[in-house]
Structures are given as structure tokens and as C-alpha cells.
Amino acid sequence: MASWFYASEGKQQGPFPEGQFRDLIAQGIVRPDTLVWTEGMAGWQKAAEIPGLIGGGSAPPMMPAGGPPMMGSGGYAGTGSGGSLAVDFGILEFTWRSIVLLIGMILVIPAPWVFVWYTKWIVSCVKVPGRPNLSFTGDAMTLVPWYFGFIVLAIAIGYIGSQLLSNLLFIVQLVLYWLLIKWIVANLASNGQPLGLSFTGSIWAYIGWNLLFAISIITIIGWAWVAAAQMRWFCRSVEGTRREVVFRGSGLDILWRGIVAAILCSLIIPIPWVYRWIMNWFASQTELVARGSLAA
């Protein structure tokens, strides 16, 4: 799919996938007299001069001064080195939404719909450099067969009372969590356009990381380093972006924040503030960097 650039106030903006670029045209951000460029063009042209891009543009192409955009220069954040993620939400909104989520989970039946509703909100609170208006487009009906199928299976195994089947149920639960992660990542969008991301971490690696984390808890503090390594693995497994997703946090960072969070959450009232603090830190440690820059 073609990627487009446009010039605004002397600076290049882009690249934008074609669907997102046409949204900019519809919004009037890219006008008929805006200079644009895409791969295959010898130089910048007015949008109206490109057949099929903006209605009514039938004039022969002209070649303004200057060549194609310099990849990696200023302008749209997607072409540069990127930056850290950020999370921004109000405490009151988080509190009432979390209470609704908890009630929905307790009532069991509304859980898939409440979960998707909550996910749409929390994803919209995440700010990604170069990806405005992040959103989640998943539908709750996708979760319904997984969720209720698991509940029926759990009831059946509980009725049989087999320890072996109970252990297998734990593995099934991990598989469903892995599928959930893949589904969430695949349904991320920006400005209403799918990002085309995918989570490529294998199910065996996911199970292995979770088992390692469970074992590390025995060491009292080792879980923090396992959590940091697992986050780095998770970020490496997100593909479909022009930039690499990197987690910078260390095990020690996670350990002391985890201890502080546990102490504060035991007081109940600080929980919303603690949750926002932790999420903001994890976001600040998750960066988008130019591909190949880590090896340089």
C-alpha cells in the first residue's frame, strides 16, 4: 500500500498510509494546492494535479522545485527516531470505569462486552508518537465463544474432579490469554485506520515466560527481572510498524515500584493514583526507535 507525504508550513508530514491520507483530504487538511509526494513520483506535485487523488484534478502534472522528501528528516514523527509512549486519564473516570468493569466481571455474562468497552477507553488514553488518536476496533462477539467455552470447560472439569485436567485447564487459560494479546494488537488503529500490527510471539514462548515468572516468585525479588525481560520479548514480538518497539525499564526499576505500589494499594484509597503512576512509568519506558539504531 502506498505511503504519502505532504508539505505544510515548509515541513514535510508523513508517511501516511493511503487510507489515512485520504482522510486528511476529506478533513481539508490536505487541499488541492497542497504539495504531496509518494514513491514513484519524480518530485512534489499539487494534490489536484494527481489523477484520482482529489476530484476534478485533470491538469497535467507540474514539477515544483525540490525532490522527494528526505526520509528520516523533520516533520511527521513516524519518520524520525520516535519517542516514548504516554498515558493520560482522569482519576475519577478511571475509578468509575474500573468499578463498572469489576461489576461486569462478577456478573460473568456481561464480561466480554464490558472488557471491550474498557479496552476501547484505555487504549484511547495511550499517546503514541506519530500515531494520533489511537483506538481499539475489536468486537466483543469475537470473545464470546472463547470466554463462554472456557467457562463450560471449567465447570465440566470441576464436576469431574481430575487434577490432571485441572492442570490442563491452566494451560488452556494461558493459550486464551495469548490469543487475546494477538487479537488486541491486531485491532489497534490510528485515526480510524488499522495499523496493521501483529503479535508474533509463539505460544510456547508465552507459556515459558509465564512459567518462569511463576517460578521466579519463589526467589522473592527475581520476578521483577523476569517481568522486565518478558516486556522486552513482548515488544520485540510486535511487528508491522516502521519503527522498533523497545522496553527500557530494568528489573530494579520494576522491583522498587512494585513494592511501593503494593504498600500503597493496601491502603485501598490510593489505588487509582498508583495504577496511573505505574502505567505512566511503563509507557515512558516503552519507546519507538528507528529500525537498526539499536545495532548501531
Side-chain angles (χ1 to χ4, degrees), residues 41-181:
M41 293 172 56
W44 295 87
Q45 291 181 231
K46 291 182 179 180
E49 296 167 351
I50 300 175
L53 188 61
I54 294 182
S58 57
M62 62 176 290
M63 297 294 295
M70 298 294 293
M71 296 299 292
S73 61
Y76 185 61
T79 62
S81 60
S84 300
L85 276 61
V87 178
D88 182 27
F89 57 78
I91 293 298
L92 290 179
E93 186 173 19
F94 164 77
T95 301
W96 75 260
R97 286 180 181 273
S98 297
I99 291 173
V100 172
L101 175 66
L102 178 61
I103 294 173
M105 292 298 181
I106 292 175
L107 296 177
V108 180
I109 293 178
W113 290 271
V114 174
F115 175 80
V116 169
W117 166 77
Y118 190 86
T119 302
K120 287 178 182 288
W121 169 72
I122 199 66
V123 167
S124 71
C125 297
V126 179
K127 312 303 177 185
V128 181
R131 293 298 184 186
N133 302 319
L134 192 69
S135 62
F136 177 68
T137 60
D139 185 85
M141 290 306 296
T142 304
L143 299 181
V144 168
W146 303 353
Y147 178 71
F148 289 105
F150 178 79
I151 290 177
V152 170
L153 181 62
I155 293 174
I157 291 177
Y159 180 77
I160 295 172
S162 168
Q163 184 60 46
L164 175 61
L165 291 179
S166 295
N167 294 334
L168 290 177
L169 185 65
F170 173 71
I171 301 298
V172 171
Q173 188 173 5
L174 289 180
V175 172
L176 290 177
Y177 283 139
W178 174 73
L179 289 173
L180 182 65
I181 292 172

Side-chain angles (χ1 to χ4, degrees), residues 1-25:
M1 180 179 293
S3 294
W4 289 84
F5 297 78
Y6 74 91
S8 175
E9 299 179 350
K11 296 181 180 180
Q12 69 178 54
Q13 308 291 331
F16 298 93
E18 184 158 353
Q20 186 177 349
F21 189 71
R22 291 188 178 276
D23 282 347
L24 296 177
I25 295 173

